[in-house]
Amino acid sequence: MSLPTVFDSKSPFPADFVWGVATSAYQIEGAAAEDGKGPSIWDEFCRRPGVIADDSNGDMACDHYHRWESDLELIKGLGVDAYRFSVSWPRVRPGGAGAWNEKGLDFYERLVDGLLARGIQPYLTLNHWDLPAELQANGGWANRDTVHRFVEYASGVARRMGNRVSAFTTHNEPWVIATLGYDKGIFAPGVKSHAQAAQAAHHLLLSHGLALQALRAQGCKSRLGIVLNLSPLLPATASEADHLKTRLEDGRSVRWYMDPLFKGSYPADVLEFMGADAPKVVPGDMATIATKMDFLGVNYYTRHIVSANETWDAHDSGYDVTDMGWEVYPEGLTDLLLRLHHDYPVPPMYVKENGAAFKDELDGGRIRDVQRTDYIARHIEAVAEAIRRGVRMHGYMVWSLLDNFEWASGYEKRFGIVHVDYETQRRTLKDSALWYRDFLQRQNAARTQRSAQAIGV
Ligand code: IFM
């Protein structure tokens, strides 16, 4: 196993680099209809027969809603600087508009205070996909009205949690919401429409920009940004057809989000490809989307090989492949971060999600997840390499703290560094968690040594 070389006194990570673990509300909380929570599009989608691999749902998930205190102890034990979690919009404002749910707001307030009491920075995501179902009845993200409901929701949460939250992420992976949710229909809300998907993507970006402006106008001092799932795309062969297809797919997945956020325009080649399905853009929208951010979050899992004629199977590449069928390709993370740094005026970046699903076996109470540990270690090394080559990186977060509800794959795929026995809700630290804990201890020792040197001790 290749372990990273980054935990010595020459560590390339800046002293204030933020190490963390990440989760999201629907994937871990459970308590789907408790204490006044309204239904989300995922509660409704999971009821459709055949859409979730094991016919499961998030009703119970990791029961984090009831176990949050012991989960915070678990997080503290890892020695991380930050915990990234999401707020369930329908838990705090059940219908998406109208009355707020005090019990829901109290839950997140207790969580934030509990983190701060343990010396852990709260990184809060506002939208990790669980849109209130009532808003979907009016078209969800394809309806411009949802933009304004989101801004109200963001402002309400920020007013309540105020500056106790280190960073607010508006949306997690808008590509997934728009493409898998509104175009392919394999994620909630299960819509299959190119036009609605394009409009949803535009509204997600617009609501992001408006929310940033609203939060700043109300005096919010937390760092504000968005989190994109991005991958480098490479042509399968040197053929012109593969190159053209790769360029288009890069446009649809990377430039469609990066260009408006950092250049204030959609890529012309993608607009041309969309034709009549292109989104309706109101004058002023593009400037709003390009509102300055304090950080850009990047979720990286794998690279994509693009072929004009065939579907590429990662198993053919010769590299290891995770239980999701995703190729293990850490070099892609360095390449991606360098490309973002060179092509766009990006603010400091964070890897906000990185991790791997592998089949785990309990062996006398121990989970020797060598592949996951190796995956995480090599990707941390890939971030280190990007820093050495001049990229401004401010943090890295493992996906995920816990095994959890992996959307359309249900509970079959396990991304956690902490194993969850769904029968008993017992949590067991996998070897990857023990490795991360040890790694962070060494990082902290390196930090202390460097600051002592800096002040001449
Ligand atoms: O579990 C998801 C997460 O919710 C969003 N990013 C990718 C992860 C793994 O598929």
mmCIF file of all heavy atoms in Angstrom, residues 48 101 116 143 152 261 292 304 385:
data_model
loop_
_atom_site.group_PDB
_atom_site.id
_atom_site.type_symbol
_atom_site.label_atom_id
_atom_site.label_comp_id
_atom_site.label_asym_id
_atom_site.label_seq_id
_atom_site.Cartn_x
_atom_site.Cartn_y
_atom_site.Cartn_z
ATOM 1 N N ARG A 48 -41.503 4.813 -5.012
ATOM 2 C CA ARG A 48 -41.784 4.252 -6.341
ATOM 3 C C ARG A 48 -41.139 2.876 -6.445
ATOM 4 O O ARG A 48 -39.948 2.720 -6.117
ATOM 5 C CB ARG A 48 -41.181 5.130 -7.445
ATOM 6 C CG ARG A 48 -41.798 6.496 -7.542
ATOM 7 C CD ARG A 48 -41.304 7.113 -8.837
ATOM 8 N NE ARG A 48 -41.564 8.529 -8.890
ATOM 9 C CZ ARG A 48 -41.209 9.309 -9.908
ATOM 10 N NH1 ARG A 48 -40.564 8.803 -10.937
ATOM 11 N NH2 ARG A 48 -41.491 10.589 -9.900
ATOM 12 N N ASN A 101 -40.442 25.244 11.113
ATOM 13 C CA ASN A 101 -40.589 24.209 12.138
ATOM 14 C C ASN A 101 -39.507 24.403 13.208
ATOM 15 O O ASN A 101 -38.342 24.071 12.987
ATOM 16 C CB ASN A 101 -40.469 22.822 11.476
ATOM 17 C CG ASN A 101 -40.570 21.702 12.484
ATOM 18 O OD1 ASN A 101 -41.167 21.862 13.546
ATOM 19 N ND2 ASN A 101 -39.968 20.566 12.161
ATOM 20 N N LEU A 116 -19.277 22.988 18.063
ATOM 21 C CA LEU A 116 -18.411 24.048 18.587
ATOM 22 C C LEU A 116 -17.897 23.692 19.979
ATOM 23 O O LEU A 116 -16.726 23.905 20.289
ATOM 24 C CB LEU A 116 -19.177 25.381 18.609
ATOM 25 C CG LEU A 116 -19.515 25.947 17.221
ATOM 26 C CD1 LEU A 116 -20.410 27.174 17.340
ATOM 27 C CD2 LEU A 116 -18.253 26.285 16.429
ATOM 28 N N ASN A 143 -39.031 25.326 -11.779
ATOM 29 C CA ASN A 143 -39.890 26.497 -11.607
ATOM 30 C C ASN A 143 -39.078 27.633 -10.967
ATOM 31 O O ASN A 143 -38.476 27.451 -9.904
ATOM 32 C CB ASN A 143 -41.066 26.112 -10.695
ATOM 33 C CG ASN A 143 -42.047 27.252 -10.484
ATOM 34 O OD1 ASN A 143 -41.745 28.424 -10.742
ATOM 35 N ND2 ASN A 143 -43.231 26.911 -10.011
ATOM 36 N N GLU A 152 -35.149 32.414 0.657
ATOM 37 C CA GLU A 152 -35.788 32.602 1.976
ATOM 38 C C GLU A 152 -35.271 31.566 2.966
ATOM 39 O O GLU A 152 -34.978 31.867 4.127
ATOM 40 C CB GLU A 152 -37.311 32.404 1.856
ATOM 41 C CG GLU A 152 -38.048 33.515 1.163
ATOM 42 C CD GLU A 152 -39.495 33.128 0.865
ATOM 43 O OE1 GLU A 152 -39.972 32.065 1.356
ATOM 44 O OE2 GLU A 152 -40.143 33.877 0.117
ATOM 45 N N LEU A 261 -20.279 30.442 -13.197
ATOM 46 C CA LEU A 261 -19.857 30.871 -11.857
ATOM 47 C C LEU A 261 -18.653 31.802 -11.909
ATOM 48 O O LEU A 261 -18.525 32.706 -11.086
ATOM 49 C CB LEU A 261 -19.507 29.645 -10.991
ATOM 50 C CG LEU A 261 -20.703 28.801 -10.534
ATOM 51 C CD1 LEU A 261 -20.235 27.443 -9.999
ATOM 52 C CD2 LEU A 261 -21.513 29.541 -9.447
ATOM 53 N N LYS A 292 -19.241 36.820 -6.398
ATOM 54 C CA LYS A 292 -17.957 36.317 -5.882
ATOM 55 C C LYS A 292 -18.169 35.341 -4.717
ATOM 56 O O LYS A 292 -18.978 35.588 -3.828
ATOM 57 C CB LYS A 292 -17.140 37.530 -5.402
ATOM 58 C CG LYS A 292 -15.659 37.334 -5.411
ATOM 59 C CD LYS A 292 -15.004 38.719 -5.222
ATOM 60 C CE LYS A 292 -13.514 38.660 -5.104
ATOM 61 N NZ LYS A 292 -12.916 37.684 -4.266
ATOM 62 N N HIS A 304 -13.318 10.251 -16.074
ATOM 63 C CA HIS A 304 -14.226 9.627 -17.042
ATOM 64 C C HIS A 304 -13.530 9.485 -18.391
ATOM 65 O O HIS A 304 -12.913 10.435 -18.874
ATOM 66 C CB HIS A 304 -15.506 10.449 -17.220
ATOM 67 C CG HIS A 304 -16.326 10.506 -15.972
ATOM 68 N ND1 HIS A 304 -16.794 9.373 -15.346
ATOM 69 C CD2 HIS A 304 -16.734 11.548 -15.216
ATOM 70 C CE1 HIS A 304 -17.463 9.720 -14.264
ATOM 71 N NE2 HIS A 304 -17.438 11.028 -14.152
ATOM 72 N N GLU A 385 0.175 17.109 -4.011
ATOM 73 C CA GLU A 385 0.881 17.381 -5.261
ATOM 74 C C GLU A 385 0.337 18.650 -5.931
ATOM 75 O O GLU A 385 1.106 19.472 -6.446
ATOM 76 C CB GLU A 385 0.744 16.162 -6.196
ATOM 77 C CG GLU A 385 1.438 16.286 -7.536
ATOM 78 C CD GLU A 385 2.951 16.557 -7.436
ATOM 79 O OE1 GLU A 385 3.544 16.358 -6.360
ATOM 80 O OE2 GLU A 385 3.516 17.013 -8.464
#
